[in-house]
Amino acid sequence: MEKAPKPTRISHRGAATRSALLDAAAHVFRTVGFARAGVSEVVEYAGASVGSLYHHFTGKADLYTALYEEFQQRQQERTHRAVSQARSRGEADPTRLMYIAARAYLDGAIDERDTTLLFFSGDGPPGFESKLRDRLREWTDRNVALFRKADEPVDEALLMVVSGAMLVAVTEVVRRGDADARRLADDITSLLSRLEPRERREPAG
């Protein structure tokens, strides 16, 4: 068996520098866009050095990806918390739980509109859009699992429909004013909540 890699320890000072670089990158990317942003602008805004940036990241694409991973983690925590709270109130209907998870994701995107636009604007590093779709599909798979029993296979069609709808939904809601965005989120998640997995079909004999 391969040995698991030891976790990298970061000093408090190193963690503070990393955080400052991410905050600076978010500001610069929002201001001028990813394509036009430069490493020099990020380190200047962070009050750091180019060497410190390359100590923590491989470049601006790595900064962008790290920002997205942190955003996605917050989104996962939001949806998990929303579903857990619903279950603690006695909600057990999988369709309703899916509705709650989807709405929590959209609400998080609206609450962090400026950050969300960074990732859903199409202005990212090469290959990022594919990563975005894959991560949203993974998130959707976890929620579609609410529909099925542990030994049942994934309904690929349902997974694609829900993940595709969420990708478009996030792109649209973050471009609208708050009230309009939340009305649209209501409509989208209400429609999603009506989706049901197809009955399992027996293989052709």
Side-chain angles (χ1 to χ4, degrees):
M1 292 179 65
E2 295 182 359
K3 292 183 178 179
K6 293 182 179 179
T8 302
R9 292 185 179 180
I10 302 177
S11 66
H12 291 300
R13 182 178 178 181
T17 299
R18 185 180 187 279
S19 179
L21 288 166
L22 285 172
D23 289 344
H27 171 79
V28 173
F29 293 157
R30 290 190 194 109
T31 304
V32 301
F34 173 81
R36 295 177 60 189
V39 165
S40 58
E41 295 169 276
V42 174
V43 296
E44 180 180 357
Y45 191 85
S49 66
V50 173
S52 66
L53 186 148
Y54 284 108
H55 174 73
H56 293 283
F57 305 98
T58 60
K60 72 173 186 176
D62 195 23
L63 280 164
Y64 187 95
T65 300
L67 285 169
Y68 174 69
E69 293 296 344
E70 290 191 352
F71 167 75
Q72 188 66 12
Q73 181 61 39
R74 292 192 298 275
Q75 289 290 74
Q76 289 174 0
E77 290 169 357
R78 286 183 177 107
T79 55
H80 177 75
R81 184 165 56 248
V83 170
S84 295
Q85 289 172 349
R87 281 178 165 155
S88 70
R89 294 192 299 268
E91 182 61 68
D93 179 71
T95 302
R96 180 64 184 170
L97 291 172
M98 179 65 195
Y99 171 93
I100 291 166
R103 181 55 196 262
Y105 194 100
L106 290 176
D107 277 341
I110 295 167
D111 290 341
E112 294 195 43
R113 181 180 282 104
D114 291 343
T115 298
T116 308
L117 281 168
L118 282 178
F119 311 119
F120 288 81
S121 65
D123 179 24
F128 179 75
E129 288 190 13
S130 177
K131 178 183 180 66
L132 183 65
R133 288 193 298 271
D134 289 345
R135 289 302 304 277
L136 193 54
R137 184 182 171 97
E138 290 169 7
W139 176 87
T140 306
D141 188 22
R142 285 192 292 273
N143 288 287
V144 169
L146 297 170
F147 285 114
R148 68 181 194 274
K149 297 177 182 177
D151 59 344
E152 289 180 337
V154 174
D155 186 332
E156 289 290 337
L158 180 64
L159 181 57
M160 286 188 286
V161 168
V162 175
S163 60
M166 286 297 291
L167 183 62
V168 175
V170 173
T171 304
E172 289 299 319
V173 297
V174 296
R175 286 176 167 79
R176 303 186 180 216
D178 194 75
D180 191 26
R182 295 191 193 277
R183 279 194 297 270
L184 181 58
D186 276 339
D187 292 341
I188 291 166
T189 49
S190 178
L191 288 171
L192 286 177
S193 70
R194 301 176 193 176
L195 294 175
E196 294 182 359
R198 297 168 302 163
E199 290 185 8
R200 187 172 179 181
R201 292 177 291 190
E202 295 299 326

